[in-house]
Amino acid sequence: MKRIGKILSVILCIAIVLSVFPVSIGNVYAEEDESIGEEFDVTGSANKDYVVKGDFLCIPLKTSKAGVASISFMISGIQTAAHFSYHSCDITAFKQGQGSATAFRYGGNEPNTWGGSADFGAEGPANAVLFISVKDSQKVEGATITVSVKSEFYDIVSEGGVAEANREYKYAQVPGTMYWQINVPSLSRINIEGVELVDGDKKSFPSSVSGTDTAIIQKGTYYLKAINDKTSVRLKTFKYSLTPVKTKVIKNYSKKKVAKIKLGKKVSNVVCAYPYAKAHYYKLVLNSDKNISIKYNNELKEMISFEILNEKGKSIAEGDDITKKKGTVKYTDIDRKKFDLVTKSKVKLTKGTYYIKVMPLSGNSYGKYSFVVK
């Protein structure tokens, strides 16, 4: 019943506002109503006192600045009782002529807390109303409340440009997809927030790098993809940073493009988001029979595996999936005498040529790794 009552109050508020302001809420109204407060200019930061004379209060909003507005509201002066755990009042900001509303709530024990922000479309908060509904249990007729606002305004952008690193971009985007170009001067780790990283052809990576994410990419031109899938202008925020990666990239992406390694010599490489390779291959030549082990350091986001292949490319020993940051590659095998699984860290190899295959186990396993064969 309380929910129905609130809905009816909102409908009544809208009806009152529409009847009083048939053209624009910004107009001076000719009819007085105790449920309608004085018009409030919410440009910048401001405070305004109002007297609550009923169950709810409608406050017409206006601005003196063009653009898209992001406005936060706070109410103080509502009396609360300590034993009430629910909210002292409901606050809804809505635009005239739109069915949806964005509601904000304030904790009953914290009446002086900022409730949230509402983003008003391309025309800003003109023709908008702040609706305050006081709970029956909290109602203090004739009490003075203070409405505080903080607002920011943003220009409307329809086309992206070249985005600089370590700078936050906040703007109003028209519906559709927008691309911001970034130039990466060297092998780097990129951290992004609020967008998707795509390649120079504006295509997504094998595993999406988006939202709040990180990846390692090589020198080149890339784009940050920003999408507004709504039907009206929306505020967008994004930023990115670049950190140079000193490790040299070994492009050993197949047995035809293999990197030669030696026993006891450390090997370092990088799995890049672009260009991306499913596996790296290293060629190892043994001049005599050996029991070898592989010690590793893993800085990838996800798991990685090491596999030993013979000269023909057939698997000899497949290491267990690695989740630790450092250690020795383990191999699970079958003890045919005991009919049980055993784990070992050494593999016996005869004289000959072998390949070490290093493979990320996830499409977004980007990062550095190193290993040494002993």
Side-chain angles (χ1 to χ4, degrees), residues 218 249-259 269-272 274-282 357-358 369:
Q218 295 192 37
V249 177
I250 304 173
K251 300 179 181 180
N252 53 334
Y253 304 145
S254 70
K255 288 198 300 178
K256 293 182 179 180
K257 295 181 179 180
V258 69
N269 205 351
V270 179
V271 178
C272 297
Y274 185 84
Y276 179 75
K278 292 183 178 179
H280 293 172
Y281 292 85
Y282 301 88
K357 180 182 178 182
V358 182
Y369 70 88

Side-chain angles (χ1 to χ4, degrees), residues 22-40:
V23 178
S24 169
I25 292 179
N27 294 340
V28 178
Y29 52 87
E31 181 181 339
E32 295 290 339
D33 190 288
E34 65 178 11
S35 299
I36 299 177
E38 185 180 353
E39 188 177 58
F40 191 179

Side-chain angles (χ1 to χ4, degrees), residues 4-47:
I4 295 175
K6 178 185 175 182
I7 294 174
L8 292 175
S9 297
V10 174
I11 294 173
L12 176 60
C13 175
I14 297 173
I16 293 172
V17 171
L18 290 178
S19 62
V20 174
F21 312 118
V23 178
S24 169
I25 292 179
N27 294 340
V28 178
Y29 52 87
E31 181 181 339
E32 295 290 339
D33 190 288
E34 65 178 11
S35 299
I36 299 177
E38 185 180 353
E39 188 177 58
F40 191 179
D41 189 333
V42 295
T43 307
S45 300
N47 302 307

Side-chain angles (χ1 to χ4, degrees), residues 90-333:
D90 293 334
I91 298 174
T92 302
F94 60 89
K95 290 186 62 177
Q96 191 175 359
Q98 294 188 356
S100 61
T102 304
F104 309 104
R105 289 179 177 269
Y106 299 81
N109 296 327
E110 297 181 82
N112 297 315
T113 302
W114 288 100
S117 63
D119 297 337
F120 294 91
E123 58 279 354
N127 299 331
V129 173
L130 179 64
F131 172 75
I132 303 173
S133 172
V134 181
K135 300 280 189 180
D136 289 341
S137 56
Q138 308 286 23
K139 186 172 65 175
V140 182
E141 291 191 11
T144 298
I145 64 171
T146 300
V147 179
S148 303
V149 297
K150 294 187 297 187
S151 62
E152 295 180 89
F153 288 77
Y154 304 93
D155 294 331
I156 299 174
V157 177
S158 59
E159 184 177 352
V162 178
E164 300 175 1
N166 304 312
R167 172 186 166 186
E168 183 179 60
Y169 287 80
K170 194 165 186 178
Y171 62 97
Q173 181 173 329
V174 298
T177 300
M178 186 181 299
Y179 293 92
W180 296 83
Q181 180 182 318
I182 64 172
N183 300 310
V184 180
S186 63
L187 180 68
S188 301
R189 177 178 292 278
I190 184 171
N191 293 286
I192 63 170
E193 294 182 25
V195 285
E196 180 186 359
L197 176 66
V198 296
D199 65 21
D201 295 323
K202 300 180 180 178
K203 295 180 180 179
S204 298
F205 295 144
S207 182
S208 175
V209 180
S210 60
T212 300
D213 211 343
T214 183
I216 292 181
I217 52 179
Q218 295 192 37
K219 175 182 178 180
T221 298
Y222 299 83
Y223 290 90
L224 300 176
K225 181 179 180 181
I227 299 177
N228 176 5
D229 57 2
K230 306 299 182 181
T231 57
S232 59
V233 175
R234 287 291 184 272
L235 290 182
K236 298 288 290 186
T237 303
F238 77 85
K239 63 180 179 179
Y240 77 97
S241 63
L242 294 172
T243 304
V245 176
K246 301 301 182 182
T247 304
K248 181 180 179 181
V249 177
I250 304 173
K251 300 179 181 180
N252 53 334
Y253 304 145
S254 70
K255 288 198 300 178
K256 293 182 179 180
K257 295 181 179 180
V258 69
K260 296 180 180 180
I261 61 174
K262 295 181 179 180
L263 287 174
K265 186 175 181 181
K266 182 180 177 181
V267 181
S268 299
N269 205 351
V270 179
V271 178
C272 297
Y274 185 84
Y276 179 75
K278 292 183 178 179
H280 293 172
Y281 292 85
Y282 301 88
K283 185 177 182 179
L284 175 67
V285 178
L286 298 179
N287 297 322
S288 61
D289 296 352
K290 296 284 185 181
N291 286 320
I292 70 162
S293 64
I294 302 176
K295 291 186 177 295
Y296 68 87
N297 283 282
N298 174 34
E299 297 182 24
L300 273 66
K301 288 177 58 180
E302 305 290 344
M303 295 186 294
I304 191 173
S305 71
F306 288 80
E307 185 177 3
I308 302 174
L309 313 175
N310 65 14
E311 190 172 7
K312 294 182 179 180
K314 182 179 179 181
S315 178
I316 295 175
E318 185 174 349
D320 297 341
D321 296 347
I322 291 172
T323 57
K324 296 180 179 179
K325 294 300 181 183
K326 62 191 320 183
T328 301
V329 178
K330 304 292 184 181
Y331 305 89
T332 300
D333 204 351

